[in-house]
Amino acid sequence: MPIINETGIDMIQLRYPFTRNWLFYLLVFAYAILIGRMTFALWLGDGINVFASYSSAVSAAPLVVDANYVYWSKTCFLFLTMLLVSLNIDYRFAVGSGCFFWATSLILMFGTSPVLLTSAILGLLIAGIQVKRREVLDAR
Protein backbone atom coordinates (compact mmCIF):
# COMPACT_ATOMS: atom_id res chain seq x y z
CA MET A 1 0.00 0.00 0.00
CA PRO A 2 1.46 3.37 -0.98
CA ILE A 3 2.29 5.91 1.66
CA ILE A 4 0.29 9.14 1.34
CA ASN A 5 1.66 12.35 2.81
CA GLU A 6 -0.41 15.26 4.17
CA THR A 7 -0.82 16.75 0.67
CA GLY A 8 -2.39 13.53 -0.60
CA ILE A 9 0.49 12.73 -2.93
CA ASP A 10 1.98 9.24 -3.01
CA MET A 11 5.46 9.22 -1.53
CA ILE A 12 8.26 7.05 -2.84
CA GLN A 13 8.84 3.90 -0.85
CA LEU A 14 11.25 1.00 -1.10
CA ARG A 15 10.14 -2.06 -3.03
CA TYR A 16 11.64 -4.47 -0.49
CA PRO A 17 11.90 -4.06 3.31
CA PHE A 18 15.26 -2.46 4.06
CA THR A 19 16.13 -4.57 7.11
CA ARG A 20 15.89 -7.85 5.17
CA ASN A 21 17.39 -6.49 1.95
CA TRP A 22 20.11 -4.09 3.02
CA LEU A 23 22.74 -5.89 0.90
CA PHE A 24 20.63 -5.28 -2.21
CA TYR A 25 20.25 -1.60 -1.32
CA LEU A 26 23.98 -1.41 -0.57
CA LEU A 27 24.65 -2.61 -4.13
CA VAL A 28 22.22 -0.01 -5.52
CA PHE A 29 23.86 2.74 -3.44
CA ALA A 30 27.40 1.67 -4.38
CA TYR A 31 26.48 1.58 -8.06
CA ALA A 32 24.94 5.06 -7.77
CA ILE A 33 28.17 6.36 -6.22
CA LEU A 34 30.24 4.70 -8.96
CA ILE A 35 28.10 6.23 -11.72
CA GLY A 36 28.02 9.60 -9.96
CA ARG A 37 31.82 9.75 -9.70
CA MET A 38 32.19 8.63 -13.30
CA THR A 39 29.66 11.19 -14.52
CA PHE A 40 31.29 13.99 -12.54
CA ALA A 41 34.72 13.16 -13.94
CA LEU A 42 33.36 12.83 -17.47
CA TRP A 43 31.37 16.06 -17.64
CA LEU A 44 32.84 18.33 -14.97
CA GLY A 45 36.35 17.01 -14.40
CA ASP A 46 39.31 16.34 -16.62
CA GLY A 47 37.58 13.47 -18.40
CA ILE A 48 37.74 9.80 -17.57
CA ASN A 49 39.04 6.68 -19.21
CA VAL A 50 36.75 3.99 -17.84
CA PHE A 51 38.78 1.21 -19.42
CA ALA A 52 42.07 2.32 -17.85
CA SER A 53 40.88 0.91 -14.53
CA TYR A 54 40.82 -2.56 -16.13
CA SER A 55 43.37 -2.48 -18.91
CA SER A 56 47.11 -1.98 -18.72
CA ALA A 57 47.36 -1.42 -22.48
CA VAL A 58 49.80 1.32 -23.47
CA SER A 59 48.68 1.87 -27.07
CA ALA A 60 45.32 2.43 -28.72
CA ALA A 61 44.84 -0.92 -30.48
CA PRO A 62 45.10 -3.16 -27.37
CA LEU A 63 43.03 -0.64 -25.39
CA VAL A 64 40.21 -0.93 -27.94
CA VAL A 65 40.31 -4.72 -27.65
CA ASP A 66 40.16 -4.46 -23.85
CA ALA A 67 37.32 -1.92 -24.12
CA ASN A 68 35.39 -4.47 -26.18
CA TYR A 69 35.85 -7.06 -23.42
CA VAL A 70 34.58 -4.61 -20.80
CA TYR A 71 31.63 -3.65 -23.02
CA TRP A 72 30.81 -7.35 -23.63
CA SER A 73 30.84 -8.04 -19.91
CA LYS A 74 28.58 -5.09 -19.07
CA THR A 75 26.22 -5.95 -21.94
CA CYS A 76 25.96 -9.54 -20.70
CA PHE A 77 25.23 -8.21 -17.18
CA LEU A 78 22.34 -6.16 -18.55
CA PHE A 79 21.02 -8.97 -20.77
CA LEU A 80 21.30 -11.64 -18.06
CA THR A 81 19.40 -9.41 -15.63
CA MET A 82 16.69 -8.67 -18.22
CA LEU A 83 16.43 -12.35 -19.22
CA LEU A 84 16.07 -13.60 -15.65
CA VAL A 85 13.44 -10.96 -14.82
CA SER A 86 11.53 -11.81 -18.01
CA LEU A 87 11.55 -15.48 -16.90
CA ASN A 88 9.80 -14.45 -13.67
CA ILE A 89 12.93 -14.69 -11.53
CA ASP A 90 13.10 -12.45 -8.47
CA TYR A 91 14.68 -9.09 -9.31
CA ARG A 92 17.15 -9.26 -6.42
CA PHE A 93 18.36 -12.68 -7.54
CA ALA A 94 18.62 -11.48 -11.15
CA VAL A 95 20.65 -8.40 -10.22
CA GLY A 96 22.87 -10.37 -7.84
CA SER A 97 23.53 -13.01 -10.49
CA GLY A 98 24.21 -10.39 -13.15
CA CYS A 99 26.55 -8.48 -10.86
CA PHE A 100 28.40 -11.68 -9.98
CA PHE A 101 28.76 -12.56 -13.66
CA TRP A 102 30.00 -9.06 -14.56
CA ALA A 103 32.60 -8.91 -11.80
CA THR A 104 33.78 -12.50 -12.24
CA SER A 105 34.15 -12.20 -16.00
CA LEU A 106 36.23 -9.03 -15.61
CA ILE A 107 38.35 -10.65 -12.89
CA LEU A 108 39.04 -13.60 -15.20
CA MET A 109 40.00 -11.26 -18.06
CA PHE A 110 41.90 -8.52 -16.22
CA GLY A 111 42.65 -9.72 -12.69
CA THR A 112 41.18 -8.71 -9.39
CA SER A 113 40.57 -5.22 -8.06
CA PRO A 114 38.82 -4.05 -4.89
CA VAL A 115 35.71 -2.94 -6.82
CA LEU A 116 35.44 -6.19 -8.79
CA LEU A 117 36.08 -8.40 -5.78
CA THR A 118 33.52 -6.52 -3.69
CA SER A 119 30.99 -6.66 -6.54
CA ALA A 120 31.48 -10.40 -7.04
CA ILE A 121 31.06 -11.14 -3.34
CA LEU A 122 28.06 -8.82 -2.99
CA GLY A 123 26.36 -10.28 -6.08
CA LEU A 124 26.94 -13.83 -4.85
CA LEU A 125 25.62 -12.98 -1.37
CA ILE A 126 22.48 -11.31 -2.74
CA ALA A 127 21.71 -14.26 -5.02
CA GLY A 128 22.56 -16.73 -2.23
CA ILE A 129 20.23 -15.02 0.22
CA GLN A 130 17.38 -15.34 -2.26
CA VAL A 131 18.15 -19.05 -2.70
CA LYS A 132 18.27 -19.54 1.07
CA ARG A 133 14.94 -17.72 1.47
CA ARG A 134 13.49 -19.79 -1.39
CA GLU A 135 12.50 -16.58 -3.12
CA VAL A 136 14.20 -17.12 -6.48
CA LEU A 137 10.92 -17.39 -8.33
CA ASP A 138 8.96 -14.16 -8.20
CA ALA A 139 5.78 -14.68 -6.19
CA ARG A 140 3.75 -12.47 -8.51
Side-chain angles (χ1 to χ4, degrees):
M1 176 171 213
I3 299 173
I4 308 292
N5 66 13
E6 52 277 348
T7 64
I9 299 173
D10 288 352
M11 294 175 53
I12 296 173
Q13 67 184 46
L14 297 176
R15 179 180 180 118
Y16 306 108
F18 183 80
T19 54
R20 289 191 70 218
N21 296 282
W22 63 271
L23 277 176
F24 173 74
Y25 290 114
L26 176 64
L27 178 63
V28 172
F29 179 73
Y31 210 81
I33 296 294
L34 182 71
I35 291 172
R37 289 181 57 212
M38 191 183 310
T39 301
F40 182 81
L42 178 64
W43 297 107
L44 304 173
D46 295 330
I48 185 171
N49 181 353
V50 174
F51 307 111
S53 61
Y54 303 105
S55 175
S56 59
V58 292
S59 63
L63 185 63
V64 170
V65 171
D66 288 348
N68 285 322
Y69 290 141
V70 173
Y71 181 75
W72 171 84
S73 182
K74 188 65 91 172
T75 303
C76 288
F77 167 46
L78 176 60
F79 177 71
L80 177 60
T81 303
M82 290 173 21
L83 177 65
L84 291 175
V85 169
S86 72
L87 294 173
N88 208 30
I89 300 297
D90 180 79
Y91 185 73
R92 295 161 293 186
F93 180 85
V95 169
S97 299
C99 184
F100 177 74
F101 170 82
W102 166 75
T104 303
S105 66
L106 288 177
I107 287 170
L108 291 173
M109 289 185 278
F110 299 108
T112 190
S113 74
V115 169
L116 293 177
L117 189 58
T118 301
S119 299
I121 291 168
L122 200 52
L124 188 61
L125 287 173
I126 291 168
I129 286 169
Q130 293 311 107
V131 169
K132 183 179 177 193
R133 291 178 182 167
R134 297 183 180 167
E135 294 178 355
V136 173
L137 294 177
D138 196 348
R140 292 178 290 152

